[in-house]
Each structure stands twice: as structure tokens, then as C-alpha cells.
Amino acid sequence: CLVVIFFQLYGYCYQDSNDIPDTLTTITELGSPLEMIQLLQTSWEDRFRICLSLVRLLHYLAHSPLGSVTLLDFRPRQFVIVDGELKVTDLDDASIEESSCTSNSDCFMEFPARNFTLPCSVEGRCQNMNEKRNLYNAYRFFFTYLLPHSAPSSLRPLLDKIINATGNRNKHDNAKYILFYPSPSVNSEFTQKCVKSANTKYRRVPEAFIPDENYRCWPSYHHKGCLLSVFDVNEAIEICDSYSQCKAFVLTNQTTWTGRQLVFFKMASNRIMPDPDKITYVKVTD
């Protein structure tokens, strides 16, 4: 779990010289800075994976061996992306201290758009303040941007429930359970997306590939072509029918992290090349 949510340390070297006293050099895995604008241009499937990484982090911080841990500087700049997963790089502002209190008014949390007041326990500590702070920061910096944008229509009711729960002070107690166990249902619904039966006919060409005839679409896994994920051939047909320039598509043997198959959509089929790992479908025209 730690390897998944925290930046991995491969080694370190302590250096003490006249020129550079008390210096510690670390060697870590390589990650990409988290740029929200770039993330919004990626597929919803990839953004959902990042949110799941964040959910695992929230769960660990709430139940760490040290107790409940809060990240006082919970911002995108404190995270990086490694192989599609979100990881924490800066723990300088982590704290395990729950705020002391004598009344509920001492447990006041102020945010730019919303304020919360938590109960003061009999032990004189604000109840679950660390966990609440992490959860709301995840809501305002990540979930509100990454989850709803271009989400599958079948999943929007569930996603609305998650977002409303994480941003609502009265639902925070239940929100963590909604968040911590969404992956089976969301993965299942997204992977087994229901599609309408298409009327357009396609000719199946096994062990074949169309090397050219690319066009751009959004969102795409390929910056120079239209490469999307589908559950099955029927969904690929539905997508191809929805693009006026699409005249064929190629099923690859590659899948996304949820098991959906990657498909190239093409605007013509003038040149078909043999390829044992691919299957081409060409739209039949009258």
C-alpha cells in the first residue's frame, strides 16, 4: 500500500563537506508533475484511476499506524503521477495532532467556499478533524474537477453521490464509505457499458490493420489518431457510427487498466495490411 500511494525512495547519500555541509541527497522514482489542465484532456477512465489512488491515500491517512494523519498542504503540487497512479511527494506538512478543544466552537474549520464545525470530544479533541480536512481538500482540489467531466452517463448518479457526500459536512461520516468502496461497482458499470444495437453493417477482416487514414478525436489515447477504449465490438460500432468521418476501426490486443479494449478508428480503408494481432472492421456502403 505504501508503495502505491507514496513516492518510492530507492536510496540516499549523506554528504558533509566544507562546501556543502549537512546535505542529504535522495534518489527516488521518476514521476510527472500533476497538471490539472492536462488531466482534464485525458480520458475519464485515466482520471478515475487517479481518483482511486487518492481514495487509497485517504484511507491510509485515516488509519495509519501513527493514527489519523492530515496533510496541511493538500494541493496538486504535492503530488505526482507515476504509471497512471497518484503519489504523494512532500510530507513536510503532515501532522498527527488532532486539535484540542473545550467546546464545539473550537473545532471550526474554515475553507474558501465552506466552513465546518465539528464536535468536541470528552477527551478535549476535535473529532476526526484530520480526516475531515483531508476529505474536503480531496473534494475541492480533485474530485470536483476529475470525476464529473465527460463521465459515462450511466455512472453520473453514483459520481454525483460521491461528490455531494465529500463536499457536505452533514454527510462526511458516510462519505468515506461511499468513497472507499466504489471501484467494484464503478469498474463493472464502466467496463460493461450497455450500448444500443447498431444498424450499420461492417465487414470483418481478421488479422488485418489499417496503418494510415487517421483522424483526431477527443479524448484519445493517441495524440495523432483516434484511439479509444471499448467494451466490445458493438460499442466500437456505436462510436464509429457517431463520427461522420469514421469508415473503419481496428481492434488491438491492448487493454486499459480496467480491461477495456483499445480500438483505432479510421476515416478510410484504402490500404489494409496483414497483422496477426489485430482485427479490422470496415463499414459497408451501399
Side-chain angles (χ1 to χ4, degrees):
C1 181
L2 291 179
V3 174
V4 173
I5 61 180
F6 293 115
F7 218 39
Q8 189 170 0
L9 176 66
Y10 291 127
Y12 61 91
C13 177
Y14 177 77
Q15 181 178 358
D16 189 5
S17 65
N18 295 330
D19 298 331
I20 310 176
D22 301 328
T23 299
L24 181 66
T25 301
T26 61
I27 302 172
T28 65
E29 62 183 329
L30 183 63
S32 302
L34 195 153
E35 299 290 344
M36 196 61 66
I37 294 179
Q38 293 181 1
L39 284 181
L40 291 175
Q41 297 174 352
T42 62
S43 68
W44 183 86
E45 194 174 359
D46 287 343
R47 284 183 273 119
F48 176 60
R49 184 181 185 184
I50 291 173
C51 289
L52 284 182
S53 302
L54 185 55
V55 166
R56 288 191 288 268
L57 172 65
L58 291 172
H59 185 271
Y60 178 82
L61 293 176
H63 304 89
S64 80
L66 299 176
S68 182
V69 179
T70 186
L71 300 180
L72 299 176
D73 191 11
F74 200 116
R75 298 174 185 271
R77 65 189 180 191
Q78 306 292 349
F79 299 86
V80 295
I81 304 296
V82 180
D83 296 330
E85 300 280 351
L86 188 73
K87 294 194 177 186
V88 184
T89 60
D90 192 349
L91 295 175
D92 291 346
D93 296 310
S95 174
I96 60 174
E97 294 295 329
E98 295 277 15
S99 299
S100 59
C101 59
T102 57
S103 65
N104 291 350
S105 60
D106 296 329
C107 301
F108 181 74
M109 292 197 304
E110 185 176 6
F111 295 95
R114 192 167 298 177
N115 301 325
F116 303 131
T117 299
L118 301 178
C120 180
S121 68
V122 293
E123 293 83 10
R125 296 288 179 181
C126 297
Q127 291 185 12
N128 302 322
M129 179 171 277
N130 287 346
E131 185 177 2
K132 307 292 186 182
R133 182 183 289 110
N134 290 338
L135 190 57
Y136 188 76
N137 279 329
Y139 156 80
R140 70 189 184 108
F141 286 121
F142 292 94
F143 296 137
T144 53
Y145 298 105
L146 299 181
L147 282 179
H149 182 58
S150 69
S153 57
S154 61
L155 295 178
R156 283 172 187 166
L158 176 60
L159 298 177
D160 289 341
K161 186 177 181 181
I162 291 174
I163 293 171
N164 291 336
T166 52
N168 191 319
R169 64 179 179 181
N170 297 323
K171 295 182 179 180
H172 268 180
D173 288 338
N174 295 325
K176 57 187 178 183
Y177 298 108
I178 297 172
L179 277 170
F180 292 164
Y181 304 104
S183 52
S185 60
V186 174
N187 277 345
S188 176
E189 290 186 47
F190 182 58
T191 302
Q192 302 180 29
K193 177 183 176 184
C194 295
V195 298
K196 299 178 181 179
S197 59
N199 295 323
T200 308
K201 294 183 179 180
Y202 287 79
R203 176 169 58 90
R204 184 178 185 271
V205 185
E207 298 185 356
F209 178 66
I210 302 173
D212 304 311
E213 309 297 349
N214 291 315
Y215 67 90
R216 294 183 179 181
C217 66
W218 185 90
S220 174
Y221 288 91
H222 194 282
H223 68 283
K224 291 185 178 180
C226 187
L227 180 63
L228 304 175
S229 68
V230 302
F231 173 61
D232 58 12
V233 174
N234 288 330
E235 186 176 356
I237 291 175
E238 184 189 46
I239 293 174
C240 190
D241 285 347
S242 67
Y243 287 98
S244 59
Q245 64 267 52
C246 183
K247 304 302 180 184
F249 60 86
V250 180
L251 299 179
T252 72
N253 61 351
Q254 296 176 300
T255 59
T256 66
W257 67 280
T258 59
R260 287 168 61 88
Q261 193 169 10
L262 290 177
V263 176
F264 276 107
F265 293 88
K266 305 287 185 173
M267 60 183 180
S269 57
N270 298 325
R271 187 164 70 100
I272 299 179
M273 303 290 293
D275 190 322
D277 297 325
K278 296 178 177 63
I279 302 174
T280 292
Y281 285 78
V282 179
K283 186 179 292 187
V284 178
T285 57
D286 296 331

